[in-house]
Amino acid sequence: MKHGETQEIYIYNTLSGEKEKFEPLNPPFVGMYVCGPTVYNDVHLGNCRTFISFDVVFRYLQHIGYKVRYVRNITDAGHLENDADEGEDKIAKKARLEQLEPMEVVQRYTVGFHRIMERFNVLPPSIEPTATGHIVEQIQMIKKILDQGLAYEVNGSIYFDVKKYMEKEPYGELSGRNVEELIAGSRELEGQNEKRNPLDFALWKKASPTHIMRWESPWGEGFPGWHLECSVMSTKYLGEVFDIHGGGMDLKFPHHECEIAQCTAAHHKKPVRYWMHANMLTLNGKRMSKSTGNTLLPQEIFTGQNPFLSKPYSPAVVRFFMLQAHYRSTLDISDEALAAAEKGFRRLMDAIALLPELKAAEKSTFDVRATVQRVYDALNDDFNTPIAIAELFEIVRFINLMNTGQESLTASDLQYLSDRVKALVQDVLGLEEDSHATTDTSKLDSVIQILIEIRQKARADRNFALSDQIRDQLLKAGIQLKDTKEGTTYTLL
């Protein structure tokens, strides 16, 4: 659909604090970069919400005719436990605790991340670069910044000089932070005495003797600072200035602030035209936190194996639930909210299933193009998915009325409605029946029930080795057994 010339999009630019008309640098081409996961653990729901939000941006821009190069990185090195450039590398720490090679950790959680994204029907990006695959380019950018006199070396580490940078450029403009207040409020951390200023940040860190992940550089063995990889990979694949940079709200400071400073120092240009940030998720009205136990992983929602929800919810329902709130709004997960979303999702899918059965009439009783355009208007307004979904439910109402003969459309209008609704729901919002839910499982159910009976007999015979083997082999095949007082049930993972 070549709609780019007729649809005017307005994006809330975090940098200006205002909605701005989207005007790409080189239409119809659009460059978009989104900060990806640090692959040392299972991807959490907050990350998933961010990636689902930008998946809709990616899908919609393509839908209206733009040619989008979407870059989303994998952080597989350099992300320390503390944003003040101290602590262990998160991946190296996980590798040490589990007695694995760091790249084993990276591979395990990268594969897990991709599986969850696939379950959520998130399209893969055009390019998915890794930090470890761009060490040479990161060293080159450090050299450029050093040549500008905006970084300095201390004991084999390189730090960005924020005060020197601020003599010509602002620092803190994206997040709205007052730099002098930040300096005054900074606390001394181990190793901070290396820095000229508490706000200076690492471009390259000297590797301690125990640090596992290390590379050769002109300054000795070490590893890149976390902020550097995104500056390098975004500009390598999208150019020194590109259209959209997205990420979670928590990345505005210091990560994105540092990205702007690094790119400006190296290229003498502000790198991004439109900064977009997705807001956080809460659980039952409280911030998600591993330490308090108030946390929920995607897989725990899909299986129902958690203390917060009364039943499992499919990835499609969870995606629909997330799109019912604007990406810049805080969204609270609860059993009641997911149950309501499931009903809404079912109503939408049922209406789409009715479309092929509707009969054309001699006249149209409502303006189908104006009705559909209201969905586009919502998406054009900073990708306002809750309003778009509300407008789609108005279309659902018309579909149901047509099914009962109370409204009608001509053949051409009916075809237009069918094409546009399917495109908007499936291609743009990415909402489809979950493949696990729509598969005919009657034969599979019979086989699993036979295995459950064999397992129950094995347990009765105290053959626990066979019982455990059946359970474990089914789990490997994506079928999880759950033993209760009422008997054994199963869930497809």
Side-chain angles (χ1 to χ4, degrees), residues 3-11 19-24 60-61 64 66 274 373 375-384:
H3 235 107
E5 294 179 2
T6 58
Q7 303 295 337
E8 285 192 355
I9 300 175
Y10 286 82
I11 295 176
K19 288 181 187 177
E20 300 176 7
K21 183 179 178 182
F22 179 58
E23 296 178 317
Y60 185 61
L61 291 174
I64 61 175
Y66 288 113
Y274 303 89
Q373 182 58 42
V375 183
Y376 282 97
D377 290 343
L379 294 170
N380 291 338
D381 183 16
D382 195 29
F383 309 97
N384 198 325

Side-chain angles (χ1 to χ4, degrees), residues 30-93:
V30 172
M32 181 169 81
Y33 185 90
V34 173
C35 292
T38 301
V39 282
Y40 73 102
N41 214 332
D42 293 316
V43 62
H44 63 75
L45 273 174
N47 282 147
C48 292
R49 185 196 183 188
T50 295
F51 301 134
I52 288 170
S53 297
F54 287 103
D55 182 57
V56 171
V57 175
F58 181 36
R59 287 169 174 271
Y60 185 61
L61 291 174
Q62 289 189 119
H63 173 70
I64 61 175
Y66 288 113
K67 299 182 185 300
V68 186
R69 177 179 288 177
Y70 175 20
V71 182
R72 187 186 68 209
N73 71 303
I74 295 286
T75 297
D76 57 354
H79 194 165
L80 302 185
E81 295 175 287
N82 191 296
D83 280 339
D85 302 319
E86 296 303 324
E88 260 188 289
D89 182 294
K90 293 183 176 183
I91 291 164
K93 181 179 180 180

Side-chain angles (χ1 to χ4, degrees), residues 466-481:
L466 177 59
S467 170
D468 292 346
Q469 184 182 8
I470 293 170
R471 179 199 62 205
D472 295 342
Q473 290 298 318
L474 284 173
L475 187 60
K476 284 183 181 179
I479 301 162
Q480 185 175 58
L481 299 183

Side-chain angles (χ1 to χ4, degrees), residues 113-132:
F113 168 67
H114 287 151
R115 283 176 177 165
I116 293 296
M117 289 299 99
E118 187 177 350
R119 294 294 306 276
F120 276 128
N121 199 22
V122 171
L123 297 176
S126 316
I127 303 172
E128 192 172 51
T130 64
T132 56

